[in-house]
Amino acid sequence: MNEPASDEVLMLRYKDGDLSAFEVIIEKHQQPLFSFVYRFCNDYHQAQDLVQDVFLRLVKMAKNYEPKAKFTTYLYTIAHNVCIDYLRRKKKRQSVSLSDPIDAENGMTLEETMKDGRANPQRDFQQKSFEQALHQAVEDLPPEQREVFLLREQQNLAFDEIARIVGCLPSTAKSRMRYALQSIREKLQNKFSLADIV
Amino acid sequence: MNCKKAEEYLVDYLYQELQAKKTLEIEKHLRSCPQCAKTLESWRAIHRAYQRNAFSEEPQIAPYFKQKILAVAEEELSRSPSWTERLIFAVKVATVPLAIFVIVLFLNEPKKMAMQRPQPEPVAPATKSEVAPDVQQKLETPLAGERKQDSTGFEAKRSEADYVDNLKARPYDQRLDKDLAEKNKEAGSDPPAGRIVANEQAAAPPMSAPAEEVQQHGAQTDYEQSKTEAAALKKGRIAETADDSYRRAKEGLDRNDIQEWRENSQRAVLMDNKKTLASDFYAAGNTYQSRGEYGKAIAQYKLLQSNYRDYHQMDDVLLRLGDSLAEVGEFDEAVKTYRQVSPSQRRVATERIQRLQKKQEAQKQLRSLGYVSSDKDKE
């Protein structure tokens, strides 16, 4: 049986003119990448635009693509650059805060718009409060810590890879992760017991 | 191992990235230090909780996203390299013979100098080994253009950003070029060269006075398109600024002059670099919709949909577009439009789709019972 082609091979195929190879790449990476960017910027439409920018840059760079590093490292390095550019632009404009509701019209947050399909309302409420607090704690992290946290927890990347993506030493990436975990722990412990978390 | 050292390795231990020897050391420390054990336990709890919750109800990327990117990817495959890319390639290719020339020059130079000296002294001529490191360094130093790539092969960020801007503009530009080509064909003049193709021409012919005039007013045009647009300007069919174009477009639509609306609205969008006209198109669409002029409303909303994707009221635009399409009987397209609404408004969109489907079903039943005649019967 044939092994599915690696991302690096797919990129090389696309470079040689095979559009279907790029379709596989988009299908495989669009949602994880979107989740990462969405958690980074906390804005649905903005995240969509940023992911679009990432893929457009990928398309443009395809003709110079050489599989020197892992494809995920390559892709998330582009995403890192796009997110940093976004933060700079945002800082310049001093626009919306991270804690603003995602829907300007009805003031609903993302968590409020999530579907509720479970049976125990009290447990659901606790669960939802905890989820909200956890996501909020992640959102409150400084960008450089948040980025490392999301790459490790959401994308399951090793610290060496994360360091290459964000352009720092592996030890720096680990120490950012340490600070992130410490900060999340402090925030959650104010509202929940350790037993709730476990 | 003390607590300070242990804390350093705790993250590696948590994510199982620690070497075997260190793992044993830290486990030994954790058995004897309840404080560090508690810290690890809380971090592990956060890790598990995040893994459990992070992906359970994650917002989904829009369904049309893949098609959008694929369209650009396909276009990129068929695109011939631009003149700047060709120039960079030429510089890279020219580097090799240039480097060889420099080496030869450097190797010959000491010999020439030795021959030109009036009184040859017993000084050893420069040997290859003395010159080579210098030349080698020159060879190894990348040219300015080549510095754009770092060790992992990523291009300089500036050129990426410029390119993304170009890519974003392209689909609309090409549509505009096509429209202008059709317009010229009708008028009997030469069709304008496509924007992309014309931009890639290294040496464009000198600009005529009207073309320069158009460029002075801020329009991003090439020579051929400037000529066409300048002619249109002269005829008074299109305006000079985004606001003027928008005003003329709206006046055209109010008079049912579709051609004028199309030309000017497209031009307004093209010149609207700051994306400030979105709210005007949106407001106009809403006015037409409230008056029951659904065709005009659809025109406004579709223009918004294809050119102002990041407009903050896009969900409402899509819902209203769906409603208007449903009003004119375009049920399938209405359903497709509702499905493009983002997850935050998906419940509303789903309700409307269901209502539309019920309506369709009811119409079918009435038609089959003979209470309502079909369109053909009416004719």
Side-chain angles (χ1 to χ4, degrees):
Chain A
M1 224 170 86
N2 283 341
E3 286 275 312
S6 70
D7 293 336
E8 291 79 14
V9 172
L10 289 169
M11 267 308 277
L12 290 174
R13 281 186 192 160
Y14 171 62
K15 191 180 167 182
D16 285 347
D18 181 359
L19 187 67
S20 64
F22 197 71
E23 190 174 356
V24 178
I25 286 180
I26 300 177
E27 254 169 24
K28 187 174 167 189
H29 291 284
Q30 64 174 1
Q31 188 55 44
L33 188 66
F34 177 73
S35 301
F36 167 69
V37 176
Y38 172 74
R39 288 287 165 217
F40 191 85
C41 70
N42 195 33
D43 179 328
Y44 182 85
H45 293 293
Q46 192 60 56
Q48 199 122 301
D49 284 353
L50 294 179
V51 175
Q52 182 178 315
D53 271 8
V54 173
F55 277 109
L56 291 179
R57 288 187 192 194
L58 187 66
V59 164
K60 150 73 181 156
M61 290 158 137
K63 66 167 80 76
N64 298 323
Y65 177 77
E66 293 296 336
K68 288 178 187 168
K70 258 180 86 178
F71 177 75
T72 40
T73 312
Y74 188 77
L75 182 68
Y76 281 88
T77 304
I78 301 174
H80 163 78
N81 289 340
V82 167
C83 288
I84 294 299
D85 284 350
Y86 160 73
L87 281 186
R88 282 191 193 131
R89 284 200 306 270
K90 195 179 170 192
K91 206 174 170 186
K92 247 184 205 172
R93 285 199 302 258
Q94 291 286 322
S95 59
V96 225
S97 108
L98 282 175
S99 55
D100 277 357
I102 56 158
D103 187 336
E105 251 198 352
N106 57 24
M108 283 171 83
T109 63
L110 175 79
E111 285 79 7
E112 284 163 350
T113 60
M114 284 174 173
K115 279 186 262 173
D116 185 4
R118 286 171 233 164
N120 184 340
Q122 200 179 344
R123 207 179 121 257
D124 280 359
F125 179 75
Q126 278 176 344
Q127 180 75 14
K128 200 136 268 187
S129 317
F130 176 72
E131 276 180 29
Q132 278 183 6
L134 178 60
H135 284 307
Q136 190 59 52
V138 175
E139 274 162 31
D140 290 345
L141 292 172
E144 66 278 4
Q145 287 176 27
R146 186 165 69 235
E147 188 176 33
V148 172
F149 180 87
L150 291 173
L151 288 170
R152 177 68 251 195
E153 284 291 344
Q154 216 175 40
Q155 309 305 320
N156 206 22
L157 299 179
F159 285 112
D160 282 355
E161 227 175 312
I162 295 172
R164 274 200 292 274
I165 290 169
V166 303
C168 68
L169 291 170
S171 57
T172 313
K174 284 172 197 171
S175 101
R176 284 179 190 173
M177 187 70 193
R178 202 163 54 237
Y179 286 125
L181 286 166
Q182 206 58 32
S183 164
I184 294 170
R185 179 194 177 191
E186 278 163 21
K187 288 224 163 114
L188 291 181
Q189 275 183 347
N190 291 336
K191 295 177 187 169
F192 304 92
S193 69
L194 192 63
D196 285 333
I197 304 171
V198 181
Chain B
M1 187 181 275
N2 58 21
C3 288
K4 201 178 172 190
K5 202 78 187 157
E7 200 185 317
E8 227 172 83
Y9 293 119
L10 224 46
V11 164
D12 297 86
Y13 181 71
L14 175 66
Y15 294 103
Q16 296 169 357
E17 286 193 23
L18 204 57
Q19 292 167 347
K21 198 180 161 194
K22 291 276 179 215
T23 304
L24 292 178
E25 277 179 41
I26 203 164
E27 280 176 349
K28 195 177 165 191
H29 175 79
L30 287 169
R31 276 196 293 274
S32 62
C33 177
Q35 191 60 37
C36 287
K38 199 180 167 190
T39 304
L40 176 70
E41 199 45 46
S42 65
W43 289 3
R44 185 171 282 152
I46 291 167
H47 166 66
R48 283 182 190 149
Y50 198 84
Q51 291 302 311
R52 209 171 46 229
N53 295 321
F55 310 109
S56 59
E57 294 177 277
E58 201 65 16
Q60 298 294 303
I61 198 157
Y64 54 80
F65 183 84
K66 191 177 89 180
Q67 294 309 323
K68 207 171 163 183
I69 297 296
L70 271 179
V72 182
E74 191 175 9
E75 201 183 314
E76 182 65 18
L77 280 179
S78 57
R79 193 177 75 97
S80 60
S82 69
W83 69 269
T84 44
E85 287 165 344
R86 283 176 193 163
L87 189 68
I88 290 166
F89 178 74
V91 169
K92 281 182 182 172
V93 170
T95 310
V96 179
L98 193 71
I100 294 169
F101 176 72
V102 171
I103 292 169
V104 172
L105 201 70
F106 270 64
L107 287 173
N108 286 338
E109 195 62 22
K111 287 177 192 170
K112 275 185 190 172
M113 283 176 73
M115 284 171 74
Q116 282 169 2
R117 277 177 194 138
Q119 287 181 335
E121 288 174 15
V123 177
T127 61
K128 192 179 175 183
S129 61
E130 282 168 341
V131 176
D134 185 29
V135 176
Q136 192 63 29
Q137 198 184 351
K138 279 178 191 295
L139 276 172
E140 281 170 5
T141 309
L143 292 176
E146 288 174 333
R147 284 206 189 98
K148 280 183 175 179
Q149 292 202 348
D150 62 15
S151 58
T152 46
F154 302 144
E155 292 200 14
K157 286 177 78 181
R158 172 55 50 210
S159 62
E160 285 170 23
D162 292 345
Y163 184 78
V164 169
D165 289 345
N166 286 340
L167 276 182
K168 279 178 179 170
R170 193 171 304 147
Y172 176 76
D173 294 348
Q174 285 180 337
R175 285 201 301 277
L176 182 65
D177 288 339
K178 201 180 162 193
D179 288 346
L180 285 169
E182 280 169 9
K183 193 175 67 184
N184 280 6
K185 207 175 171 186
E186 283 166 20
S189 62
D190 293 331
R195 180 180 297 274
I196 310 302
V197 177
N199 279 343
E200 285 166 1
Q201 288 170 352
M207 283 189 179
S208 65
E212 277 174 358
E213 195 183 323
V214 174
Q215 204 168 43
Q216 277 166 10
H217 284 96
Q220 299 166 352
T221 59
D222 54 44
Y223 171 71
E224 290 294 337
Q225 197 163 335
S226 298
K227 211 164 75 175
T228 316
E229 288 177 356
L233 258 174
K234 216 173 175 181
K235 284 180 198 167
R237 286 200 71 84
I238 55 175
E240 294 170 11
T241 66
D243 286 338
D244 285 346
S245 295
Y246 171 76
R247 188 175 44 77
R248 287 194 186 207
K250 194 164 182 307
E251 283 168 6
L253 197 57
D254 287 338
R255 289 197 309 273
N256 293 325
D257 185 344
I258 300 299
Q259 177 70 1
E260 176 139 9
W261 173 78
R262 207 171 64 146
E263 281 172 6
N264 282 295
S265 61
Q266 286 181 343
R267 191 170 165 79
V269 170
L270 186 66
M271 290 194 291
D272 185 21
N273 296 327
K274 291 177 183 171
K275 303 280 176 196
T276 50
L277 286 178
S279 52
D280 293 311
F281 284 117
Y282 176 62
N286 295 353
T287 311
Y288 288 130
Q289 194 190 33
S290 64
R291 281 191 213 150
E293 293 177 271
Y294 297 113
K296 291 177 184 178
I298 289 169
Q300 302 287 329
Y301 294 141
K302 283 207 164 184
L303 201 137
L304 270 169
Q305 186 193 17
S306 49
N307 295 293
Y308 295 89
R309 242 308 147 193
D310 52 356
Y311 181 48
H312 69 284
Q313 295 279 29
M314 188 43 71
D315 278 342
D316 193 47
V317 169
L318 292 172
L319 290 172
R320 283 173 179 272
L321 176 58
D323 294 347
S324 303
L325 286 165
E327 288 290 346
V328 296
E330 295 289 340
F331 295 123
D332 292 339
E333 211 185 328
V335 170
K336 272 184 203 164
T337 308
Y338 287 137
R339 286 197 175 128
Q340 290 175 31
V341 169
S342 75
S344 61
Q345 292 290 325
R346 192 159 288 162
R347 195 173 45 82
V348 183
T350 311
E351 277 172 13
R352 292 196 192 181
I353 290 172
Q354 284 167 353
R355 205 188 306 155
L356 209 58
Q357 283 165 345
K358 278 181 190 167
K359 199 173 168 184
Q360 265 180 303
E361 193 56 37
Q363 277 185 354
K364 257 188 209 168
Q365 285 171 354
L366 286 173
R367 214 170 284 139
S368 65
L369 291 169
Y371 288 116
V372 176
S373 57
S374 67
D375 292 344
K376 278 184 184 175
D377 296 338
K378 276 180 193 173
E379 281 168 16

